[in-house]
Amino acid sequence: MSGNAREAILAAGRLSAQSHGYGGLNMRELAAEVGIKAASIYHHFPSKADLAAAIAERYWQDTKAWLEEVAAANGDPKAALKKYPETFRMSLENGNRLCLGSFLGAEYDDLPEQVRQQVQTFADVNIGWLADRLVDAGLTDEKGSEAQARSIFAAVAGAQLLARSRSDISLFDTMIDSFQEAGLMPG
Amino acid sequence: MSGNAREAILAAGRLSAQSHGYGGLNMRELAAEVGIKAASIYHHFPSKADLAAAIAERYWQDTKAWLEEVAAANGDPKAALKKYPETFRMSLENGNRLCLGSFLGAEYDDLPEQVRQQVQTFADVNIGWLADRLVDAGLTDEKGSEAQARSIFAAVAGAQLLARSRSDISLFDTMIDSFQEAGLMPG
DNA sequence: ACCTGAACACCGTTCAAGT
DNA sequence: ACCTGAACACCGTTCAAGT
């Protein structure tokens, strides 16, 4: 409708993809949510692959902006790191949804190349941000920071995946606590 | 051919599900791999949902048997725990495949009830085995053992998910090393 | 018992054609 | 530009019929 069908498609598409993945992203349903016909989506995106790539691109851009806000608002890098799991937690709160990067990561074999690239960038954004905080906090040397950052990213994503399949956010919180107590990430 | 089409369907179906998930499991393709027609699968399994449930059930049974072997072969529970990531590593080696529990966990919203139950049991088997080893090793008290076990399971699954999307087993190994060095799990 | 061709109802995707 | 009807390809599934 009116203002911007493209933006409405992106927003609804993101939510659907976080619930059902790339394969489960349904063009007719998505169109209905936006108030148009499925064929009309193709006026805004040349294909489902391009739509998914645009959704994933927007997803990492939003994530990056959020992470930068967190870093700016928390001078202490340890305090910033403590906030990191919050986006994953919000996905669970918002309809028990999965991180889009995790869902698309699972579907990686069947993903069009454009989508794969955005999934990689999403991971790079997360790992890069974490590595920068870890170095700033003096928790790792520069050499090992990326490896440590990757481990944190993977562990938090894994915790979200498991908590989601039980529809139980408290499990997510407990797992994050365990990671922090073990010293995998600062708490 | 031969002895047992049902077993061949289960074996090929498991591999396909670990690559493409439940939604991506294709009856016609699966039949072709086994050397029969799609309609013939229904002689062995009443529906795709029942087939997937049987695949997932067999999957946790195989996992459980493997874990019990590892426990039996390693009197030292820490040595057994050190071997735990090995099954996840083997999946990556075997065609860059994902743990079936992780893939179905991502698709949880769209899973038939029979399949969901087997996914839960798979998680329970892993967490129960880990909790038993942790208690035996004196690494946790009985009260906190399940929470600790869940964290290990989630972290290892997350590491596999991320390593798979890069098709890079060395990333998996490095993340496991990080988990062990942090003390999340014994190394 | 075990398998199959053919068909069914459905659904995502695409394109030619409308405004 | 923006949208759509309708065709297309493919899906899980059924069933009468074959061995």
Side-chain angles (χ1 to χ4, degrees):
Chain A
M1 44 204 41
S2 57
N4 205 334
R6 189 191 149 91
E7 286 302 315
I9 294 165
L10 281 175
R14 169 185 159 160
L15 292 176
S16 180
Q18 284 186 259
S19 288
H20 310 295
Y22 177 76
L25 182 63
N26 178 321
M27 302 295 268
R28 272 192 231 264
E29 261 177 36
L30 179 58
E33 280 172 52
V34 177
I36 56 177
K37 298 295 172 185
S40 304
I41 293 179
Y42 291 83
H43 183 263
H44 301 280
F45 303 95
S47 68
K48 183 180 178 182
D50 291 303
L51 167 60
I55 290 170
E57 181 182 28
R58 180 65 62 87
Y59 189 75
W60 72 250
Q61 288 170 342
D62 290 349
T63 301
K64 185 175 183 173
W66 185 85
L67 287 171
E68 280 167 3
E69 272 178 47
V70 169
N74 296 82
D76 176 14
K78 284 188 189 177
L81 284 166
K82 197 175 172 178
K83 292 241 159 64
Y84 178 70
E86 195 56 33
T87 29
F88 292 84
R89 192 181 200 283
M90 289 188 303
S91 275
L92 292 174
E93 278 177 333
N94 182 24
N96 200 36
R97 287 189 167 82
L98 196 62
C99 165
L100 185 58
S102 299
F103 217 139
L104 298 182
E107 292 176 298
Y108 205 76
D109 270 14
D110 300 318
L111 247 37
E113 184 54 33
Q114 314 102 290
V115 185
R116 288 186 178 186
Q117 283 173 17
Q118 303 303 329
V119 174
Q120 301 294 15
T121 304
F122 174 76
D124 291 341
V125 163
N126 279 270
I127 293 163
W129 185 89
L130 285 166
D132 287 349
R133 293 325 119 214
L134 289 168
V135 170
D136 280 4
L139 291 166
T140 60
D141 52 7
E142 304 234 5
K143 214 188 68 183
S145 65
E146 193 175 307
Q148 182 72 14
R150 222 190 317 263
S151 298
I152 294 171
F153 175 54
V156 174
Q160 188 200 39
L161 181 64
L162 183 57
R164 175 182 127 101
S165 73
R166 301 276 181 176
S167 301
D168 187 344
I169 296 189
S170 78
L171 287 181
F172 178 75
D173 293 336
T174 309
M175 285 186 267
I176 299 302
D177 285 346
S178 289
F179 296 153
Q180 292 170 339
E181 275 168 41
L184 182 67
M185 54 197 289
Chain B
M1 4 268 49
S2 63
N4 206 334
R6 189 191 149 91
E7 287 300 316
I9 293 165
L10 282 174
R14 169 186 160 161
L15 292 176
S16 180
Q18 283 186 259
S19 288
H20 310 296
Y22 177 76
L25 182 62
N26 180 314
M27 301 296 268
R28 282 178 225 263
E29 262 178 35
L30 178 58
E33 280 173 51
V34 177
I36 56 177
K37 299 295 172 183
S40 304
I41 293 179
Y42 290 83
H43 184 263
H44 302 280
F45 302 94
S47 68
K48 182 181 177 180
D50 291 303
L51 166 61
I55 290 170
E57 182 182 28
R58 179 65 63 86
Y59 190 75
W60 71 249
Q61 288 170 340
D62 289 349
T63 301
K64 185 175 184 175
W66 186 85
L67 287 172
E68 281 168 3
E69 271 180 48
V70 169
N74 296 83
D76 177 14
K78 284 188 188 175
L81 284 165
K82 197 173 172 179
K83 292 239 159 65
Y84 178 71
E86 195 57 30
T87 28
F88 292 83
R89 192 180 200 282
M90 289 187 305
S91 275
L92 293 174
E93 279 178 331
N94 182 24
N96 200 35
R97 289 188 165 82
L98 197 62
C99 166
L100 184 59
S102 299
F103 216 138
L104 298 182
E107 292 177 298
Y108 205 77
D109 271 13
D110 300 319
L111 247 37
E113 185 53 32
Q114 313 103 291
V115 185
R116 287 186 178 187
Q117 284 174 16
Q118 303 304 329
V119 174
Q120 301 293 17
T121 304
F122 174 75
D124 291 341
V125 162
N126 279 270
I127 293 162
W129 184 89
L130 285 166
D132 288 348
R133 294 324 120 214
L134 288 167
V135 171
D136 280 3
L139 290 166
T140 60
D141 52 6
E142 304 233 5
K143 215 187 69 183
S145 66
E146 192 173 309
Q148 183 72 16
R150 221 190 318 265
S151 299
I152 295 171
F153 175 54
V156 174
Q160 189 201 38
L161 181 64
L162 182 57
R164 177 181 126 101
S165 75
R166 300 276 181 176
S167 302
D168 187 344
I169 296 187
S170 79
L171 288 180
F172 178 74
D173 293 336
T174 309
M175 286 185 268
I176 299 302
D177 285 347
S178 290
F179 296 153
Q180 292 170 339
E181 274 167 41
L184 182 66
M185 56 198 288

